[in-house]
Amino acid sequence: MQLNYIANASVRSSSGKTIPVIDPSDGQAFDEIQRSNAQDIDHAVQAAHDCMDTVWRKITAAERGRLLMRLAEKVEQHADELAMIEQRDCGKPTKQAKADAAALVRYFEFYAGACDKLHGETLPYLDGYSVMTWREPHGVTGHIIPWNYPMQIFGRSVGGALAAGNVCVVKPAEDACLSLIRVAQLAAEAGFPAGAINIVTGYGHEVGDALARHKGIHHISFTGSPKIGTLIQQVAAERHCPVTLELGGKSPQIVFADADLDAAIPAVINAIVQNAGQTCSAGSRLLVDEMIYEPLLERLGQAFERLRVGPATMDLDVGPLIRQTQQQRVWDFLSDAQVAGIPMVAQGEIVDEAPDTGFYQAPTLLRDVPVMHRLAQEEVFGPVLCAMSFRDENHAVELANATQFGLVAGIWTRDGSRQFRMAKRVQSGQVFINNYGAGGGVELPFGGVKSSGYGREKGFEALYGFTTLKTVAIKHG
Ligand code: ADP
């Protein structure tokens, strides 16, 4: 049984209740996590405050950096163990699980190096004054993590918050807690003081809500659905608590007729099948110049038919979805497509070894998806790519911007002027030209516009969000 990790100790929830942990590859329970409640959050927030007041506040930025670097080393030593934990918990193919563990190492390395480079400025002002700005931590930060990339999102969120001098209370998603509990234990081994990183597991509407409401939490970092993002904002607004929100996307891959298709095709496929499409920055809409629409769909269709889906440990192109309700959600989208007469170009294959009780979905390529259909508007969070054609550059921009989201955009063209024009005109937090990062690169600020959220995580930019700026003016005559 898995326990909460509070003040460097494994503890049960005061509720005495647990939640089963399901392996998405076979649908069977293999462990339990704590079903925590508001009392457990109180305990964790108190531990975090004690840590801040007694130890953390006095630790220098350089020492925080050393701690994070030691944690990066610990994670690297345990990378295979963490990858296997994540694989079973989340159904990740081996390559993906290992990539996530490697990304966690990179986040801690990056933020280790950043700790002592974060500083304020001196400002010109009236004669006889000296004015400076200080970057101060918020204090105790709350982190509500989704189930699609637990290690990566923990790394970017908690790594940045710690680097900026905060202490953290973390609520992982109920479907994906195990790796984070282990990382918190490794952090204690690396020398993090009790209360710097606390993990409290349970349901979102219970323990997530309690965390978001807690008066002792000074900043909330949330990655998840727009619906829960709205709730978090409402709850945080009651006490004017700052939030950083990353709420997903419906990201377009825009392919012009002059694009290098040999480069574009594998990237387009990877951007929608990576992690079974359960990626905030998945390239889930394919906008294609009408001049190459038919030949491109033909090539893509052949590639989709070769994609294989199966148990995580088989390490195929695609693993299972996280849970049965997610599988049902994807099925509902696909049956809506059928009802609307949206043509299916191709589907991958679920291998015979995949147990019927697992949560599998073959990658699916749909074409001529009407721009206002929910398949072209809402996040499916599954391996479903929706293609449509455009007439010219203006039409491409119109389609690209025609959703509530704006997280990532991919643009494929050899025309240098068009690359810049398009990058300026698409409403998106990140733009990739002739590549598609699917959120990758720990150094690159990440976050959205419109309903994709606000604030930035990753990169140095994230540190500004995890701090508050104090202006100090001294009159010395
Ligand atoms: P999904 O539907 O894909 O699981 P959610 O937005 O529901 O995405 O979940 C993202 C994270 O938010 C998870 O850790 C979940 O437990 C948490 N969560 C869900 N509901 C709430 C809530 N009412 N308050 C705070 N956190 C929540």
Side-chain angles (χ1 to χ4, degrees), residues 102-158:
L104 182 61
V105 174
R106 276 294 297 134
Y107 278 114
F108 290 147
E109 283 175 350
F110 179 87
Y111 285 117
C115 288
D116 55 1
K117 282 121 198 130
L118 179 66
H119 50 71
E121 296 176 318
T122 54
L123 310 174
Y125 192 51
L126 303 175
D127 187 35
Y129 285 78
S130 287
V131 181
M132 68 199 104
T133 54
W134 295 345
R135 288 241 158 237
E136 298 188 334
H138 293 291
V140 180
T141 49
H143 304 261
I144 300 175
I145 312 272
W147 44 259
N148 57 343
Y149 291 93
M151 283 197 281
Q152 292 215 36
I153 293 170
F154 181 92
R156 77 185 192 202
S157 175
V158 173

Side-chain angles (χ1 to χ4, degrees), residues 24-73:
S25 291
D26 62 12
Q28 305 302 310
F30 66 96
D31 206 340
E32 286 173 313
I33 53 164
Q34 301 298 303
R35 180 173 170 180
S36 309
N37 56 24
Q39 214 176 314
D40 302 307
I41 287 292
D42 255 347
H43 178 194
V45 173
Q46 189 56 51
H49 275 270
D50 290 348
C51 177
M52 179 59 95
D53 295 343
T54 58
V55 195
W56 198 245
R57 203 182 289 287
K58 297 170 196 153
I59 285 181
T60 63
E63 183 55 22
R64 286 202 302 275
R66 277 186 217 110
L67 280 170
L68 276 166
M69 192 54 91
R70 281 204 287 276
L71 178 53
E73 285 160 10

Side-chain angles (χ1 to χ4, degrees), residues 344-379:
M344 183 191 293
V345 180
Q347 262 195 330
E349 178 207 346
I350 300 175
V351 298
D352 293 341
E353 292 88 338
D356 292 342
T357 46
F359 311 132
Y360 299 98
Q361 171 60 48
T364 305
L365 175 60
L366 303 171
R367 61 174 288 166
D368 312 340
V369 180
V371 62
M372 294 319 289
H373 192 276
R374 67 186 284 249
L375 264 158
Q377 291 290 326
E378 297 173 28
E379 234 182 349

Side-chain angles (χ1 to χ4, degrees), residues 309 318-319 321 327 330-331 334 347 350 359-364 383-384:
V309 186
V318 184
L321 300 170
Q327 187 186 37
V330 178
W331 289 348
L334 291 178
Q347 262 195 330
I350 300 175
F359 311 132
Y360 299 98
Q361 171 60 48
T364 305
V384 179

Side-chain angles (χ1 to χ4, degrees), residues 105-427:
V105 174
R106 276 294 297 134
Y107 278 114
F108 290 147
E109 283 175 350
F110 179 87
Y111 285 117
C115 288
D116 55 1
K117 282 121 198 130
L118 179 66
H119 50 71
E121 296 176 318
T122 54
L123 310 174
Y125 192 51
L126 303 175
D127 187 35
Y129 285 78
S130 287
V131 181
M132 68 199 104
T133 54
W134 295 345
R135 288 241 158 237
E136 298 188 334
H138 293 291
V140 180
T141 49
H143 304 261
I144 300 175
I145 312 272
W147 44 259
N148 57 343
Y149 291 93
M151 283 197 281
Q152 292 215 36
I153 293 170
F154 181 92
R156 77 185 192 202
S157 175
V158 173
L162 289 168
N166 302 281
V167 288
C168 305
V169 179
V170 181
K171 208 293 288 172
E174 46 273 39
D175 295 300
C177 296
L178 307 192
S179 61
L180 303 191
I181 295 171
R182 185 71 187 115
V183 173
Q185 293 166 354
L186 293 174
E189 287 176 27
F192 273 87
I197 304 174
N198 306 280
I199 312 277
V200 186
T201 65
Y203 289 121
H205 65 280
E206 293 177 352
V207 74
D209 182 65
L211 176 63
R213 283 181 196 280
H214 203 290
K215 291 192 172 58
I217 294 289
H218 305 127
H219 176 277
I220 301 166
S221 156
F222 172 82
T223 302
S225 58
K227 180 173 152 227
I228 304 299
T230 304
L231 283 180
I232 300 280
Q233 287 177 91
Q234 286 166 345
V235 164
E238 305 226 337
R239 61 179 200 287
H240 309 291
C241 176
V243 295
T244 299
L245 299 171
E246 197 266 89
L247 307 178
K250 192 74 194 173
S251 298
Q253 291 266 34
I254 309 166
V255 186
F256 286 90
D258 68 341
D260 174 355
L261 295 187
D262 293 337
I265 286 173
V268 165
I269 293 171
N270 185 53
I272 189 61
V273 303
Q274 177 182 324
N275 213 41
Q278 303 167 122
T279 303
C280 310
S281 50
S284 54
R285 290 186 301 145
L286 177 64
L287 315 183
V288 186
D289 195 320
E290 62 186 8
M291 287 196 291
I292 57 162
Y293 190 53
E294 295 303 334
L296 179 59
L297 285 188
E298 193 173 332
R299 284 181 68 179
L300 270 174
Q302 287 162 5
F304 261 68
E305 277 164 9
R306 286 194 295 273
L307 292 169
R308 294 169 77 231
V309 186
T313 49
M314 285 183 75
D315 201 18
L316 303 175
D317 303 302
V318 184
L321 300 170
I322 187 77
R323 59 180 184 232
Q324 201 278 323
T325 52
Q326 190 60 27
Q327 187 186 37
Q328 187 60 52
R329 178 181 163 83
V330 178
W331 289 348
D332 289 348
F333 271 102
L334 291 178
S335 74
D336 280 1
Q338 224 174 3
V339 171
I342 294 171
M344 183 191 293
V345 180
Q347 262 195 330
E349 178 207 346
I350 300 175
V351 298
D352 293 341
E353 292 88 338
D356 292 342
T357 46
F359 311 132
Y360 299 98
Q361 171 60 48
T364 305
L365 175 60
L366 303 171
R367 61 174 288 166
D368 312 340
V369 180
V371 62
M372 294 319 289
H373 192 276
R374 67 186 284 249
L375 264 158
Q377 291 290 326
E378 297 173 28
E379 234 182 349
V380 177
F381 238 53
V384 179
L385 181 58
C386 297
M388 57 191 89
S389 65
F390 62 81
R391 293 182 301 276
D392 54 23
E393 210 174 294
N394 284 338
H395 192 205
V397 171
E398 189 188 311
L399 292 176
N401 293 341
T403 75
Q404 60 167 327
F405 293 108
L407 191 60
V408 177
I411 295 164
W412 298 86
T413 175
R414 288 185 167 100
D415 179 335
S417 303
R418 180 153 60 200
Q419 291 170 0
F420 276 94
R421 281 197 303 273
M422 288 298 294
K424 278 189 190 283
R425 294 181 72 193
V426 292
Q427 297 167 334

